[in-house]
Amino acid sequence: CVLPPALTVPEAILRASLSCTVPLDKLAQDSRPPVLLVPGTGLNPRENFGWNYVPALRKAGRSVCTVQLPQQAMGDVQNAAQYVVYAIQTLATKSQKRVQIIGFSQGGMLPRWALKFWPQTRAQVEELISIAGSHHGTTNTHTVCRPQCAPAIWQQKSTSRFITALNKGDETYPNIDYTAIYSYTDGVVLPSTEGAPTGISSILKGGKNVVNISVQQLCPDVATDHLALGSYDPVTYALVRDALDNTGTARLTRVQAYQAQLCSQRYML
């Protein structure tokens, strides 16, 4: 039996990084699981989610929590994973339920590192919804990181040792539902189009508990970019809510009932 690595970040710092819309000791009173939001590279929870997902999910009656990653999510992703591990363990313990995670860009990929190297968290997570997740890195960094760049950006290089380690073996676990949402016009997490030799970066490989959905599958004419996906895109939000509110992954067939409205709508709120 190989023990998971100890959390080396002081508990006081980890505790301060976690913020919820309800007191932690009240989470168990909610009949639904808590939702954990993980921000993308260069963003904090307020910038990424404070004006969109937090108020929208609160309005929907959900208990919402965010995790502040160190250095605006620009530092070592392996270190940042400790913050996500702490958040998962705390929310699962306090709510007595498995956690639902929504992550944008690095925030969609990062929980996978936590699940891989802290295996005890796999029983504490119900689902992971990644929005433009950098699951297989991005070829963007091949030109950005010349000669150097921030650790998190370097680690998200498609050929980095970090990405290789992340995807070695199984990419997903059978007891967790995975919904990966992406756009063919994402210009940050690349490749993002069909036919790329290495495949679309934001797609996850797995079994029946994994679904990959592009916003163009619902609205073929939209040109949703990376930041729009993770902030205000109505199609993305509809897919997120479908995954949160139903058993299992998001289903395109359920969201298609609102296709005309979503494809003509500019913002999620």
Side-chain angles (χ1 to χ4, degrees):
C1 178
V2 179
L3 295 176
L7 299 181
T8 59
V9 178
E11 185 177 356
I13 295 176
L14 294 174
R15 189 185 313 118
S17 73
L18 182 62
S19 177
C20 298
T21 57
V22 297
L24 288 175
D25 58 4
K26 301 291 184 183
L27 287 177
Q29 297 178 11
D30 193 336
S31 61
R32 292 176 291 183
V35 178
L36 175 64
L37 301 173
V38 186
T41 306
L43 297 169
N44 61 44
R46 178 183 55 80
E47 294 165 341
N48 203 154
F49 301 115
W51 54 281
N52 43 44
Y53 275 77
V54 171
L57 292 174
R58 286 188 68 181
K59 186 176 179 180
R62 302 303 303 266
S63 298
V64 187
C65 299
T66 60
V67 59
Q68 170 78 59
L69 302 178
Q71 299 174 253
Q72 290 275 108
M74 295 285 280
D76 185 348
V77 180
Q78 297 169 99
N79 182 57
Q82 296 189 55
Y83 291 71
V84 175
V85 171
Y86 178 84
I88 291 171
Q89 294 177 331
T90 301
L91 298 183
T93 300
K94 293 293 186 179
S95 69
Q96 300 175 33
K97 300 174 187 70
R98 298 173 70 199
V99 182
Q100 296 177 313
I101 303 176
I102 304 170
F104 168 56
S105 196
Q106 180 194 151
M109 169 273 290
L110 177 55
R112 292 184 51 228
W113 188 270
L115 293 166
K116 188 178 187 74
F117 293 103
W118 283 267
Q120 73 274 25
T121 60
R122 298 172 200 167
Q124 299 174 316
V125 173
E126 179 181 291
E127 68 182 314
L128 171 59
I129 304 168
S130 74
I131 303 170
S134 53
H135 297 299
H136 299 94
T138 174
T139 56
N140 247 355
T141 55
H142 293 220
T143 54
V144 172
C145 290
R146 291 183 179 178
Q148 59 186 12
C149 57
I153 297 177
W154 183 269
Q155 288 168 312
Q156 289 176 90
K157 190 176 182 179
S158 61
T159 55
S160 73
R161 292 181 180 180
F162 175 87
I163 290 297
T164 299
L166 174 67
N167 293 311
K168 184 178 181 180
D170 295 332
E171 293 188 12
T172 62
Y173 300 99
N175 64 320
I176 300 171
D177 295 314
Y178 296 83
T179 297
I181 304 166
Y182 63 100
S183 172
Y184 295 140
T185 51
D186 186 334
V188 175
V189 177
L190 301 171
S192 60
T193 55
E194 300 282 4
T198 56
I200 295 173
S201 178
S202 292
I203 282 180
L204 283 170
K205 301 171 186 176
K208 295 181 179 179
N209 62 321
V210 180
V211 65
N212 299 290
I213 305 176
S214 76
V215 293
Q216 284 83 10
Q217 285 176 258
L218 191 72
C219 303
D221 297 329
V222 299
T224 310
D225 65 17
H226 187 72
L227 289 176
L229 276 174
S231 55
Y232 62 81
D233 178 58
V235 177
T236 301
Y237 181 64
L239 291 167
V240 168
R241 284 295 305 274
D242 187 73
L244 288 179
D245 297 342
N246 294 283
T247 302
T249 66
R251 289 186 187 176
L252 190 62
T253 52
R254 284 193 296 250
V255 181
Q256 282 173 333
Y258 311 97
Q259 184 172 17
Q261 174 188 338
L262 290 171
C263 294
S264 61
Q265 189 175 325
R266 293 189 62 187
Y267 303 107
M268 58 178 275
L269 298 176

